[in-house]
């Protein structure tokens, strides 16, 4: 039955509504960012590693993955399937389901370790580790066609594992995990110019990937023992660098995005990530792979997701066709791929009618910001500077925190920061942590230079020096080395210490080393100190004189002896003027200050006692102390 134009228009509108009404995260093929293979299914995940949907549940032993970003096609391997070894998976958004088809027929006991895809020639490459060969086949031929051999290393015992296609330079890279003769090699896609680019200090290389955004090669090396590494080099093998060194993992395959490196680990059954190094921020050279800061690297390793089953293959969406439209090596390839996709779409539309025109218009309206709609895959190829399922998100949206955003020629957002901020996204304030010890920071808006307003006795470009502590040593040195020159900032502090004491400081400041004000300041201090000392001495002398006047003197006893005129008859040793008087003779005693001793009359001694005492003493040595004791004793007797 022939439909009227109005009926055909209504039918087209209903078809378009059903075609685009499926939720973005669940149905649109661009709604996922990562895909991984578990043992019996493929998981599609977003950039937060949340599972969006799953597929390929009817397969038993899934391993390697490859992704055709041009047509949104997933290729995977099933090790145990009886008929085929490699399959293709495409999501049909119109019916919200996955379509799985056999791509390569099983010819024997294949052991597919790695998969790669060339979107220009539509060829699929895979490494057969058991056979020691790398095969390729076109996805446009029937799956019954016999695959062709690109590399045959079975004769020398080679074991190819990971494979990667350099789409722009038309090269195939692979890792050879042959024990004792491991290497990383490459060959042109036409099978010519095979060469070994890495063969030193390598144990068992596994997954490998070409980063078209940075023109570098990344691969996993499963080291002897418990360690593993992820290394990088330029596409010719030069500038080899160590990126990651870890332990206690069994890494299998790699994926790389603009910001990070991802790999699968069979031991932890997880996907790990590490920040993708900037061109000038890699860790160390390959000549010292064991000397890397292992603890720092492991601190930056993040476990993104883990499962109960072992995880093997991994692919990531890179935005290849958006990022590299202007790249000198990739621009022509991107243009050819897009042209082929346009031709495929045009071949299916031979008759333009009202319904087709309306459908085309709705399709164009679906992709925003001038993006190109690909009807076969039901997705949009965004122009430079936009992303999202409908190219509705600007790359600059909320990218720069404190600055102006522009899209570079490679399609990356770039920030031009305000003078006070820096960082890739202008997220860091220059003054944060610049000035120390409570100083106030200021930024010159014209030059962007920082300055610090120090407080107290702090000084320095960042107020990092404590003037009181640093200058104290200078001021102490002046006491011993007066000729030393101290910084100008220490003058005030040294003047404060000068007020305490120090002749060396006086001499130093008198020379004018700390300013003209120091000379007269030191002289005034000397005069004041000398006046205080003299005043204290004068007061001490006055007090001492007053005490001498009013303090009574200590009594002093003076003895006066009157000797006899003639010597004794019975003593041959007596001579005139030298002997003591006898008891019968006159004696005279003189005592000074007798009133101070409360004695007002001149005492005399007992004649008998004196005679006995003198007679006994004459036989011994004379003793002055005995005379004093006897005199005082007689005085006490007289008073009593």
């Amino acid at each position: 039955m022939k439909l009227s134009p109005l009926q055909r228009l209504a039918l087209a509108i209903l078809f378009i509504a059903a075609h685009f009404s499926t939720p973005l995260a669940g149905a649109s093929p661009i709604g996922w960012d990562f895909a991984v293979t578990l043992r019996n299914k493929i998981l599609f995940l977003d950039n937060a590693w949340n599972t969006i949907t799953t597929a390929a549940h009817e397969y038993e032993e899934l391993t390697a993955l490859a992704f055709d970003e041009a047509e949104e096609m997933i290729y995977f391997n099933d090790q145990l399937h009886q008929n085929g070894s490699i399959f293709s998976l495409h999501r049909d958004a119109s019916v919200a389901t996955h379509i799985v088809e056999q791509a390569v027929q099983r010819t024997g006991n294949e052991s597919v370790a790695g998969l790669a895809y060339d979107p220009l020639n539509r060829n699929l490459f895979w490494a057969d580790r058991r056979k020691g060969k790398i095969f390729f086949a076109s996805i446009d031929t029937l799956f019954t066609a016999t695959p062709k051999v690109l590399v045959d290393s079975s004769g020398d015992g080679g074991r190819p594992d990971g494979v990667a296609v350099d789409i722009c330079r038309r090269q195939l890279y692979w890792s050879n995990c042959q024990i004792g003769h491991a290497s990383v090699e490459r060959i042109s896609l036409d099978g010519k110019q095979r060469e070994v680019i890495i063969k030193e200090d390598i144990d068992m290389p596994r997954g490998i990937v070409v980063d078209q955004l940075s023109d570098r090669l990344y691969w996993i090396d499963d080291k002897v023992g418990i360690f593993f590494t992820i290394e990088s080099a330029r596409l010719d093998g030069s500038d080899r660098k160590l990126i990651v060194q870890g332990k206690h993992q069994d890494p299998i395959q790699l994926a790389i995005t603009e910001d990070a490196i991802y790999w699968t680990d069979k031991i932890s059954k997880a996907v790990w990530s590490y920040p993708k190094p900037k061109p000038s921020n890699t860790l160390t050279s390959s000549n010292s792979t064991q000397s890397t800061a292992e603890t720092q690297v492991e601190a930056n390793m993040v476990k993104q997701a883990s499962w109960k089953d072992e995880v093997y293959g991994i692919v990531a969406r890179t935005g290849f066709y958006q990022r590299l439209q202007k790249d000198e090596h990739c621009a022509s390839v991107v243009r050819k791929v897009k042209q082929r996709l346009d031709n495929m779409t045009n071949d299916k539309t031979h008759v333009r009618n009202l319904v087709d025109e309306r459908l085309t218009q709705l399709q164009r309206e679906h992709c925003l910001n001038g993006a190109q709609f690909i009807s076969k895959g039901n997705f949009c190829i965004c122009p430079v500077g936009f992303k999202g399922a409908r190219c509705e998100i600007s790359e600059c949206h909320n990218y720069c925190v404190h600055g102006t955003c522009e899209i570079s020629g490679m399609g990356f957002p770039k920030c031009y920061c305000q003078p006070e901020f820096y960082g890739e996204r202008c997220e860091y304030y220059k003054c944060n942590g610049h000035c120390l010890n409570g100083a106030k920071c200021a930024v010159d808006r014209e030059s962007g230079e920082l300055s610090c307003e120090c407080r107290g006795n702090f000084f320095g470009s960042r107020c990092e020096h404590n003037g009181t502590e640093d200058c104290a040593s200078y001021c102490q040195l002046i006491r011993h080395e007066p000729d030393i020159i101290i910084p100008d900032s220490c003058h005030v502090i040294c003047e404060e210490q000068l007020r305490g004491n120090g002749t060396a400081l006086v001499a130093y400041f008198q020379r004018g080393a700390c300013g003209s004000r120091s000379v007269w300041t030191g002289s005034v201090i000397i005069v004041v100190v000398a006046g205080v000392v003299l005043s204290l001495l004068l007061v001490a002398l006055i007090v001492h004189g007053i005490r001498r006047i009013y303090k009574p003197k200590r009594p002093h006893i003076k003895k006066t002896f009157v000797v006899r005129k003639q010597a004794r008859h019975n003593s041959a040793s007596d001579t005139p003027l030298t002997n003591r008087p006898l008891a019968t003779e006159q004696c005279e005693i003189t005592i000074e200050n007798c009133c101070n001793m409360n004695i007002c009359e001149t005492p005399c001694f007992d004649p008998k006692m004196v005679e006995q005492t003198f007679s006994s003493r004459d036989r011994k040595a004379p003793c002055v102390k005995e005379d004093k004791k006897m005199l005082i004793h007689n005085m006490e007797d007289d008073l009593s």
Side-chain angles (χ1 to χ4, degrees), residues 171 325 435 549 551:
Q171 297 278 339
Q325 294 182 36
C435 297
I549 294 173
K551 182 178 179 181

Side-chain angles (χ1 to χ4, degrees), residues 226-299:
I226 63 173
F227 293 96
F228 76 94
T229 62
I230 296 178
E231 300 184 50
S232 173
R234 292 178 181 172
L235 297 178
D236 59 356
S238 62
D239 191 31
R240 182 179 175 184
K241 293 183 180 297
L242 175 66
I243 307 301
V244 177
Q245 178 172 338
K247 55 187 177 181
H248 301 302
Q249 289 191 25
D250 185 9
I252 302 298
Q253 286 196 354
L254 272 176
I256 193 163
T257 64
E258 176 187 348
D259 302 316
I261 305 168
Y262 300 88
W263 67 94
T264 56
D265 172 30
K266 293 182 66 175
I267 292 180
S268 63
K269 302 176 182 179
V271 172
W272 295 79
S273 70
Y274 184 82
K276 179 181 173 182
K278 301 298 181 183
S280 60
N281 193 30
T282 47
L283 295 178
T284 182
S285 65
S286 61
N287 295 330
S288 58
T289 56
Q290 298 300 326
S291 62
T292 184
E294 180 181 338
T295 55
Q296 181 180 359
V297 171
E298 291 188 350

Side-chain angles (χ1 to χ4, degrees), residues 225-435:
I226 63 173
F227 293 96
F228 76 94
T229 62
I230 296 178
E231 300 184 50
S232 173
R234 292 178 181 172
L235 297 178
D236 59 356
S238 62
D239 191 31
R240 182 179 175 184
K241 293 183 180 297
L242 175 66
I243 307 301
V244 177
Q245 178 172 338
K247 55 187 177 181
H248 301 302
Q249 289 191 25
D250 185 9
I252 302 298
Q253 286 196 354
L254 272 176
I256 193 163
T257 64
E258 176 187 348
D259 302 316
I261 305 168
Y262 300 88
W263 67 94
T264 56
D265 172 30
K266 293 182 66 175
I267 292 180
S268 63
K269 302 176 182 179
V271 172
W272 295 79
S273 70
Y274 184 82
K276 179 181 173 182
K278 301 298 181 183
S280 60
N281 193 30
T282 47
L283 295 178
T284 182
S285 65
S286 61
N287 295 330
S288 58
T289 56
Q290 298 300 326
S291 62
T292 184
E294 180 181 338
T295 55
Q296 181 180 359
V297 171
E298 291 188 350
N300 292 328
M301 291 168 48
V302 178
K303 181 188 288 187
Q304 296 290 352
S306 60
W307 299 272
K308 294 182 179 179
D309 294 332
E310 291 182 353
V311 57
Y312 192 99
I314 181 172
V315 292
R317 190 182 299 278
T318 61
F320 172 80
Y321 298 101
Q322 286 79 24
R323 302 294 189 192
L324 300 177
Q325 294 182 36
K326 296 184 179 181
D327 183 79
E328 59 177 335
H329 300 289
C330 300
S332 61
V333 174
V334 172
R335 184 175 60 255
K336 292 177 181 179
V337 172
K338 292 175 65 176
Q339 184 178 358
R340 177 173 56 81
L341 293 175
D342 290 339
N343 293 334
M344 291 174 59
T345 302
N346 294 331
D347 290 341
K348 296 180 180 180
T349 310
H350 300 288
V351 180
R352 294 286 182 178
N353 52 30
L354 182 61
V355 175
D356 296 329
E357 292 178 1
R358 181 58 179 166
L359 176 61
T360 303
Q361 181 181 357
L362 291 174
Q363 290 175 346
R364 291 173 180 173
E365 292 177 355
H366 175 72
C367 297
L368 306 177
N369 296 307
Q372 182 179 0
F373 179 78
I374 306 300
S375 59
K376 181 180 179 180
N378 187 28
F379 69 96
C380 304
I381 295 181
C382 302
V384 175
F386 294 92
K387 61 181 180 179
R390 301 178 60 192
C391 305
E392 73 278 13
I393 303 174
S394 171
E395 294 274 8
C396 280
H397 180 66
N398 290 335
Y399 184 77
C400 299
V401 182
H402 298 283
T404 303
C405 178
E406 293 184 5
I407 300 298
S408 66
M410 298 295 294
F412 297 104
K414 183 178 181 181
C415 294
Y416 295 90
C417 303
Q418 298 175 7
E420 299 91 343
F421 298 90
Y422 71 99
E424 185 176 357
R425 300 181 59 194
C426 306
E427 67 271 33
Y428 302 114
Y429 184 48
K430 289 183 178 180
C431 276
N432 284 344
H434 179 73
C435 297

Side-chain angles (χ1 to χ4, degrees), residues 21 26 128 134 372 477 526 541 575:
S21 61
D128 193 325
I134 297 178
Q372 182 179 0
L477 287 175
I526 293 174
L541 289 174
T575 58

Side-chain angles (χ1 to χ4, degrees), residues 59 213 218 249 256 339 354 451 553:
Y59 297 92
L213 302 179
Y218 292 82
Q249 289 191 25
I256 193 163
Q339 184 178 358
L354 182 61
S451 61
K553 293 184 178 180

Side-chain angles (χ1 to χ4, degrees), residues 83-84 86 102-107 137-147:
N83 298 325
I86 300 176
Q102 183 175 321
V104 177
Q105 185 178 10
R106 183 173 293 278
T107 59
S138 173
I139 64 171
D140 294 328
T141 62
L142 295 176
F143 65 88
T144 56
T146 303

